[in-house]
Amino acid sequence: MLFSEFEAQMSSEARPFPCIFGVTGYRQDQLRYLFLDPFDIEILGEQLALFVSECRSHGPNTSLVVFTRPGPVQAMDAYYRKLWLTLDLLARIDKSPWPDAIPQQLDDPLWEFSFAGEPIFVVCSTPAHVLRQSRRSSAFMLTFQPRWVFEKILGTEKTAEAAFAEVRRRLIPFDGTSPSPLLGRYGDHEGREYQQYFLYDDNEGLSKCPFMRLAQHKCHHIENKEEAA
């Protein structure tokens, strides 16, 4: 059911999904999928590392889309906490050093989640989203998109402006609320990437910085990984 829902979103021509990069990746069979049941951080880490090692061979619009089992709908804040607990636990089991070019402090315009040495933009979709349909899924869902995808597609200022203008043009009729003021270009002095990972249903709930940094004390054994389930 979850994949059918996702497939309908990506393939609709009457109601085109706002993320043109994701739609192109789906249509060109460049996306990769992971179905986690139960939600196991160690399996997610293994598969994300495998994806990172192979992603450049999948095509310029690739992402790893992670589906989970549907359950009772929780409050928006619960999914927000689950996203950041998941990323923190992934950082704890990451066997690769943090990339030198990426700051470790989240409150930095150049910060990006990184895993297996690869900076990755993360998108969280949940069943709690109602107005912001572009972030809605029947279950907790994560999309991991390598940052090099954006760098390759948005190579010039002209192509970048055109791409972001098209995304915003699609967002307005797709969502039941105006585009989030948190959406912006990576590296902009006032922008923060972590705020774009999870967008609340309206523009009043603005994401606060969940951690100063991820996994301040690395460990390879997680005693409470079920908290992310």
Side-chain angles (χ1 to χ4, degrees), residues 104-126:
Q104 294 196 38
Q105 300 292 324
L106 272 72
D107 192 22
D108 188 297
L110 294 178
W111 183 87
E112 189 80 276
F113 174 69
S114 299
F115 193 83
E118 190 75 65
I120 302 170
F121 184 75
V122 184
V123 173
C124 182
S125 303
T126 82

Side-chain angles (χ1 to χ4, degrees), residues 40-54:
D40 188 298
I41 291 293
E42 292 177 356
I43 293 176
L44 175 57
E46 291 170 1
Q47 294 301 311
L48 182 55
L50 177 63
F51 169 75
V52 166
S53 71
E54 301 175 343

